[in-house]
Amino acid sequence: MNILISSILFPPDGLGSMHDLLKASDDPKIGVEVFPFWQLTRFENILKENFPLLQGHRIVFHSQYQCTDPCFPIGTPEYDVSMKYYNNTFNYAKMLGAAYIVFHYYNFHFDMSEREEKLKIATRNLGVLKSLALKFGLKLAIENTEVTRDGCYMFTEDSFIQMARSTPDCSILIDVGHANCAGWDLSRVMRELADKIVGYHLHNNNGVEDSHCRILDGTLDMDKFMKDFCLYTPEADLTIEYSPNLNWDIKDICEDIDFLKRHI
């Protein structure tokens, strides 16, 4: 088991603020999930400047979220931008020895009448990215991005499990807050995919809004999750992924890290 902090907690220019948090945690084993902002021309220099901060820690990279989506077909400008960002991510992930790259099947909302076509395109693009990742010596981990019970979604609980079981050369990352919003049986998903899950995104919410609150601030029973975690996937990563717009401070994050440690 590894505890990581996502850099999404800080604005793009604040990646260096991770230094104060890692120091306050007083645990050299705390890792970092790098959340890239390649749409900002200055981000690459920010990342390079913080290499000394990141080196020596367990590193995971998130795929680009803003301004790109894997549901655009080959030959479109959107696809070209997406591939450019993925190449950047793979390059720096390799340099920092990242354990895996988090993959979203979609980032933009869509009309449900488009679902089947977008699923086909995203699945095809995933195949391209898997091959590219292997050339860099990297692996993808597919995240559940569904955050609604009856709105825009790519997978249901059942179809996500089926997709995960039938997708070779990819691991799975479960976002517990997303599962809470979507009304999924989190215990069942963890049990069914125990051999595929490499990590979790940890945050909480009211069961409706994907607000990325602190782990004890919401309707998701975090004590139960931790029991299931220890039972099914005790070696998986636990990545704290809170909204940067909430009123938390470094002391709060350290308290939440201590909560996780007490339950292991």
Side-chain angles (χ1 to χ4, degrees):
M1 184 281 306
N2 299 282
I3 297 174
L4 293 85
I5 310 295
S6 176
S7 67
I8 198 175
L9 272 70
F10 305 98
D13 289 322
L15 182 59
S17 300
M18 186 71 75
H19 173 80
D20 294 334
L21 178 51
L22 293 174
K23 183 178 180 180
S25 72
D26 194 28
D27 186 348
K29 294 183 180 179
I30 298 295
V32 177
E33 177 191 68
V34 178
F35 204 98
F37 294 88
W38 297 119
Q39 78 278 15
L40 304 177
T41 55
R42 65 184 184 277
F43 178 75
E44 186 168 12
N45 285 333
I46 294 171
L47 185 55
K48 289 178 180 178
E49 290 168 2
N50 284 283
F51 262 39
L53 166 68
L54 299 172
Q55 288 171 330
H57 292 274
R58 180 171 176 81
I59 299 296
V60 168
F61 265 73
H62 203 290
S63 57
Q64 175 79 16
Y65 178 73
Q66 287 87 357
C67 307
T68 187
D69 191 286
C71 293
F72 288 100
I74 295 174
T76 61
E78 293 87 353
Y79 175 87
D80 293 340
V81 169
S82 180
M83 292 304 296
K84 174 184 176 182
Y85 291 158
Y86 261 106
N87 270 288
N88 288 348
T89 298
F90 290 159
N91 186 40
Y92 281 93
K94 180 178 181 180
M95 282 192 275
L96 286 167
Y100 51 86
I101 315 294
V102 180
F103 172 81
H104 282 190
Y105 248 90
Y106 67 100
N107 293 326
F108 300 160
H109 282 248
F110 54 84
D111 189 281
M112 285 301 288
S113 64
E114 304 174 293
R115 177 186 168 278
E116 288 191 15
E117 181 61 23
K118 287 189 175 293
L119 179 57
K120 289 180 183 178
I121 294 171
T123 301
R124 188 182 306 123
N125 290 342
L126 173 60
V128 173
L129 291 169
K130 282 198 300 180
S131 298
L132 183 60
L134 285 173
K135 292 180 181 178
F136 281 87
L138 299 167
K139 193 170 185 178
L140 299 177
I142 304 170
E143 178 183 353
N144 57 308
T145 49
E146 287 65 32
V147 293
T148 179
R149 299 163 195 250
D150 54 9
C152 171
Y153 61 87
M154 190 71 81
F155 298 104
T156 63
E157 178 183 327
D158 287 340
S159 64
F160 183 85
I161 292 173
Q162 182 179 7
M163 176 277 297
R165 302 294 325 160
S166 61
T167 304
D169 302 321
C170 277
S171 300
I172 296 297
L173 182 138
I174 297 298
D175 187 302
V176 302
H178 293 171
N180 193 48
C181 281
W184 288 11
D185 182 341
L186 183 56
S187 295
R188 178 196 173 220
V189 174
M190 295 169 69
R191 182 177 66 252
E192 294 282 344
L193 299 179
D195 62 324
K196 297 274 290 185
I197 294 172
V198 294
Y200 297 89
H201 281 164
L202 301 186
H203 53 95
N204 215 322
N205 53 60
N206 60 8
V208 178
E209 300 167 305
D210 183 31
S211 49
H212 283 247
C213 297
R214 291 178 64 191
I215 52 177
L216 299 182
D217 183 13
T219 60
L220 178 65
D221 186 339
M222 196 57 62
D223 289 297
K224 184 177 186 305
F225 163 74
M226 288 305 299
K227 289 179 182 178
D228 288 336
F229 169 82
C230 292
L231 178 62
Y232 299 122
T233 57
E235 301 301 318
D237 292 339
L238 296 171
T239 300
I240 292 175
E241 194 185 60
Y242 298 162
S243 168
N245 300 318
L246 300 179
N247 292 321
W248 54 262
D249 56 29
I250 289 179
K251 178 175 175 289
D252 295 330
I253 306 301
C254 290
E255 288 177 357
D256 293 345
I257 291 173
D258 289 340
F259 170 86
L260 297 175
K261 289 181 176 179
R262 287 197 303 269
H263 282 73
I264 297 170

